[in-house]
Amino acid sequence: MNTAVAPTATRMKSYPDALACVEQTEKISKLVPLAILGVLVGLPMLSSLLSFRLGEALFSGIIMFLIAGVVIKIVDAVILSSMRAVHYRGVANRLAAAVQAVPTAVSQWRSWWQGAPGALAVTQRGDLVVIDRSTNYEELWLHPSQISNVSVEREATQITNTRHGGRFTLGGGASSSGLFGGYTFGGRSRSTTHTVETAFLEIRYQLERNGMTYTTVIPFGDDRRGADALCATISRLEHDAG
C-alpha cells in the first residue's frame, strides 16, 4: 500500500442524530451501574457512618458491593444490552443507507452495530467512505494513501460447560436406615471446554500528512474469511483520478 499521506481527508456530511443517540446510550450505560452502586452501597454506608458505626459500615459495604456487582451484571444483560442493541441497530441501518447512497458508484459496503455502530463503503473509484465513532459520525472520504494500515485481529474466548451425572442408590431409599438401609454413590461431573474466536478488522488512517492516526474497528464475529476478504480489498485500493 502506498504510504504517502494525502494532505487532508474529505468530509462530506455529518449525522448528528447518530452521534447524539450513541452518546446518550453510552451515558446511560455508564450512569446506571453508578446509580446501582450509589443506592445499594453508598446509602447504607452513609447511614452507618452518620450513626458512627464504622465497623458496620465497612462490613455492610463489602457485602452490598458484592450484591451490587451481581445486580449490575443482571441489569446489563437483561436491560442495557437490549437497549444498546435496539438503538445501535437503528443507527447502523441509517448509516448503511447513507454509504450506499454516496454520489460515486459503490463496489461493496458493510455496516455493524456491535461496540458502536458504523458503516463503510468502497467506491469503484477507489475511495474508502467511513462513518463511525472514530469520525464522530461524519462521512469521511479517504484516499488510499491516507490508509496507513489494515489488519485482521481476533479474540479467543474459552467457554466451559459442566454436566453433572445422576446419583446411584444401592438398597433402600434415601430415608432408609438400619439393616435395609441404602448407600448412595456420588454422581460424576464432566466439563467440556471449547474456544470461540471472533474476528474484527482494524483500519488505521491519517487525515493529514504525519498527523494523528485514527482507528476504525469493524466486527465480523466468526466470519474470519469475510474479514480477510475486506482487508485484502482495502489493502489493494487504487484511486482513479478520473
Side-chain angles (χ1 to χ4, degrees), residues 5 29 38-39 42 46 55 60 65 72 84 98 101 107 109 116 120 123 133 159 173 183 187 192 218 221 224 233 242:
V5 181
S29 298
V39 172
L46 180 61
S60 64
F65 182 80
I72 289 172
R84 286 191 294 267
S107 58
W109 64 274
L120 63 78
T123 69
R133 196 69 174 90
I159 300 177
Y183 182 80
T192 304
I218 302 101
R224 175 63 186 266
T233 297

Side-chain angles (χ1 to χ4, degrees), residues 12-196:
M12 301 295 290
K13 297 179 181 179
S14 63
Y15 299 86
D17 55 334
L19 180 59
C21 178
V22 171
E23 288 182 337
Q24 183 180 21
T25 303
E26 291 174 344
K27 185 176 181 180
I28 294 174
S29 298
K30 292 179 180 179
L31 289 179
V32 169
L34 293 177
I36 293 174
L37 284 173
V39 172
L40 296 183
V41 181
L43 291 181
M45 287 189 66
L46 180 61
S47 177
S48 298
L49 289 174
L50 291 176
S51 300
F52 301 101
R53 300 193 301 267
L54 180 59
E56 179 181 330
L58 292 176
F59 179 76
S60 64
I62 294 173
I63 298 300
M64 295 308 297
F65 182 80
L66 297 176
I67 295 175
V70 175
V71 173
I72 289 172
K73 288 183 178 180
I74 295 175
V75 170
D76 183 72
V78 176
I79 300 176
L80 296 181
S81 62
S82 299
M83 176 198 67
R84 286 191 294 267
V86 171
H87 291 179
Y88 287 177
R89 280 174 174 163
V91 172
N93 289 336
R94 295 197 297 271
L95 299 180
V99 295
Q100 293 177 78
V102 296
T104 303
V106 172
S107 58
Q108 59 180 294
W109 64 274
R110 183 177 180 86
S111 67
W112 61 93
W113 64 271
Q114 296 90 341
L120 63 78
V122 177
T123 69
Q124 293 183 2
R125 193 177 66 172
D127 293 306
L128 179 64
V129 184
V130 180
I131 314 172
D132 74 340
R133 196 69 174 90
S134 72
T135 71
N136 279 328
Y137 294 100
E138 293 184 353
E139 185 180 293
L140 188 67
W141 287 62
L142 297 172
H143 186 278
S145 63
Q146 295 170 310
I147 302 171
S148 58
N149 185 62
V150 186
S151 62
V152 176
E153 306 294 338
R154 60 181 181 177
E155 292 181 350
T157 303
Q158 291 187 338
I159 300 177
T160 301
N161 294 320
T162 302
R163 293 185 178 181
H164 300 282
R167 299 172 67 87
F168 174 71
T169 301
L170 180 63
S175 61
S176 299
S177 61
L179 179 63
F180 299 101
Y183 182 80
T184 302
F185 295 88
R188 293 183 177 181
S189 298
R190 177 177 297 177
S191 297
T192 304
T193 301
H194 65 280
T195 302
V196 177

Side-chain angles (χ1 to χ4, degrees), residues 168-232:
F168 174 71
T169 301
L170 180 63
S175 61
S176 299
S177 61
L179 179 63
F180 299 101
Y183 182 80
T184 302
F185 295 88
R188 293 183 177 181
S189 298
R190 177 177 297 177
S191 297
T192 304
T193 301
H194 65 280
T195 302
V196 177
E197 291 188 350
T198 56
F200 54 93
L201 181 67
E202 286 190 352
I203 305 173
R204 292 182 173 85
Y205 59 91
Q206 294 171 284
L207 303 183
E208 298 177 352
R209 184 182 299 274
N210 299 323
M212 182 181 296
T213 299
Y214 300 88
T215 303
T216 289
V217 179
I218 302 101
F220 275 81
D222 60 356
D223 185 13
R224 175 63 186 266
R225 290 187 177 181
D228 287 334
L230 184 56
C231 179

